[in-house]
């Protein structure tokens, strides 16, 4: 059974700080990785995806992938209270995504 | 471009009944996936359809079924409802083509919240 693990949190950071969210996965052959954000009562929305080792930046978000260590992380720079949500890590497995249970992020003013 | 549309948004059913949920994907997307989300289990994969064919199925009982129509719209059916079926059911579409391993992320609809009493 392929698994994706995330710390459930909550992760509390002050406004303006860097929030670091981590995810590990069990299948060494996994190729594609996704980060979704889900506000309470809403559906998940895609933040970014990554499939090459290293960093990928998009605005205030940076995804980092280390296939040798089987982890993927999401950094949020200059965190804002509006970033408070649950962040879901997902790994592609043939025609489906396997999701972690998510990390709840709280950004306080 | 319109997003993924799910209907209805909310449903209340009693045990033993059956329910049908509907999903219209983003225009041009031919892959439709269904997920169940509960507080305890997170997002669990139900099944995925592409060009009216079920390509993948999750570990759910046969009471859960689905289909996809020629216009890519999809329906999901749950028969003989149980209390444990209460969840948010999410539909997602992607432009995924066979052999497209890397990209084609899922785009989710707003979900149908099903309550079984």
């Amino acid at each position: 059974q392929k698994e994706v693990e995330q710390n459930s949190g909550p992760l509390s950071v002050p406004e303006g700080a860097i929030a670091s969210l981590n995810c590990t996965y069990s299948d060494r052959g996994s190729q594609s990785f996704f980060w979704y954000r889900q506000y309470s009562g809403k559906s998940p929305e895609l933040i970014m995806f990554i499939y090459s080792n290293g960093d990928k930046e998009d605005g205030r978000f940076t995804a980092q992938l280390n296939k040798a260590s089987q982890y993927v992380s999401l950094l949020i720079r200059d965190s804002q209270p509006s970033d408070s949500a649950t962040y879901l890590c997902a790994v592609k497995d043939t025609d489906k995504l396997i999701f972690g249970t998510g990390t709840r992020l709280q950004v306080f003013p | 471009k319109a997003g993924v549309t799910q209907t209805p948004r909310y449903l209340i059913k009693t045990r033993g009944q059956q329910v049908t949920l509907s999903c219209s994907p983003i225009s041009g997307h031919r892959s439709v996936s269904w997920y169940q989300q509960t507080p305890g289990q997170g997002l669990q994969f139900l099944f995925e359809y592409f060009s009216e064919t079920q390509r993948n199925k999750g570990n759910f009982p046969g009471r859960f079924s689905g289909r996809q129509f020629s216009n890519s719209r999809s329906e999901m059916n749950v028969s003989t409802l149980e209390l444990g079926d209460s969840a948010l059911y999410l539909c997602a579409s992607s432009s995924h083509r066979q052999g497209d391993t890397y990209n084609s992320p899922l785009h989710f609809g707003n979900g149908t919240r099903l309550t079984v009493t």
Side-chain angles (χ1 to χ4, degrees):
Chain A
Q1 177 77 359
K2 297 172 184 176
E3 295 182 341
V4 178
E5 301 283 343
Q6 293 182 261
N7 188 316
S8 61
L11 173 65
S12 293
V13 300
E15 184 175 358
I18 296 175
S20 178
L21 304 158
N22 299 312
C23 168
T24 60
Y25 57 95
S26 63
D27 183 11
R28 185 169 289 278
S30 297
Q31 301 279 355
S32 305
F33 308 85
F34 303 81
W35 282 100
Y36 285 83
R37 176 176 62 197
Q38 187 173 24
Y39 291 111
S40 180
K42 302 293 186 182
S43 62
E45 56 179 323
L46 179 70
I47 298 175
M48 59 194 307
F49 60 87
I50 185 169
Y51 53 84
S52 298
N53 265 333
D55 295 0
K56 179 181 179 182
E57 187 175 316
D58 184 1
R60 295 187 297 113
F61 299 97
T62 299
Q64 300 176 318
L65 175 60
N66 184 322
K67 290 186 179 180
S69 300
Q70 295 177 235
Y71 82 79
V72 57
S73 60
L74 179 70
L75 302 178
I76 306 175
R77 289 182 300 281
D78 188 24
S79 295
Q80 301 296 310
S82 59
D83 293 326
S84 298
T86 296
Y87 289 80
L88 301 166
C89 171
V91 176
K92 191 148 194 169
D93 175 25
T94 56
D95 300 316
K96 66 180 183 290
L97 292 186
I98 299 174
F99 284 86
T101 52
T103 298
R104 191 157 63 93
L105 173 66
Q106 294 177 335
V107 181
F108 55 92
Chain B
K1 199 181 237 187
V4 178
T5 304
Q6 290 188 247
T7 56
R9 290 294 309 277
Y10 302 94
L11 267 176
I12 300 176
K13 293 285 188 179
T14 57
R15 278 183 301 174
Q17 288 187 310
Q18 74 166 22
V19 66
T20 299
L21 313 180
S22 180
C23 172
S24 293
I26 292 172
S27 178
H29 284 189
R30 296 167 64 189
S31 170
V32 174
S33 302
W34 289 88
Y35 287 80
Q36 180 196 66
Q37 188 174 33
T38 58
Q41 298 294 317
L43 273 156
Q44 300 288 311
F45 172 75
L46 281 156
F47 25 67
E48 189 256 355
Y49 287 88
F50 183 87
S51 293
E52 303 178 67
T53 299
Q54 186 183 92
R55 292 197 297 193
N56 214 332
K57 189 177 192 304
N59 190 25
F60 278 81
R63 300 185 296 107
F64 292 80
S65 63
R67 58 178 176 168
Q68 186 180 33
F69 302 96
S70 59
N71 62 359
S72 295
R73 192 177 68 85
S74 178
E75 287 182 348
M76 189 191 106
N77 185 276
V78 188
S79 62
T80 319
L81 284 166
E82 300 177 359
L83 294 178
D85 296 334
S86 295
L88 178 66
Y89 289 89
L90 291 160
C91 168
S93 75
S94 78
S95 58
H96 184 104
R97 299 170 182 81
Q98 280 185 317
D100 183 4
T101 306
Y102 297 104
N103 297 337
S104 57
L106 299 183
H107 300 272
F108 285 90
N110 287 326
T112 294
R113 185 163 296 281
L114 172 65
T115 302
V116 182
T117 62

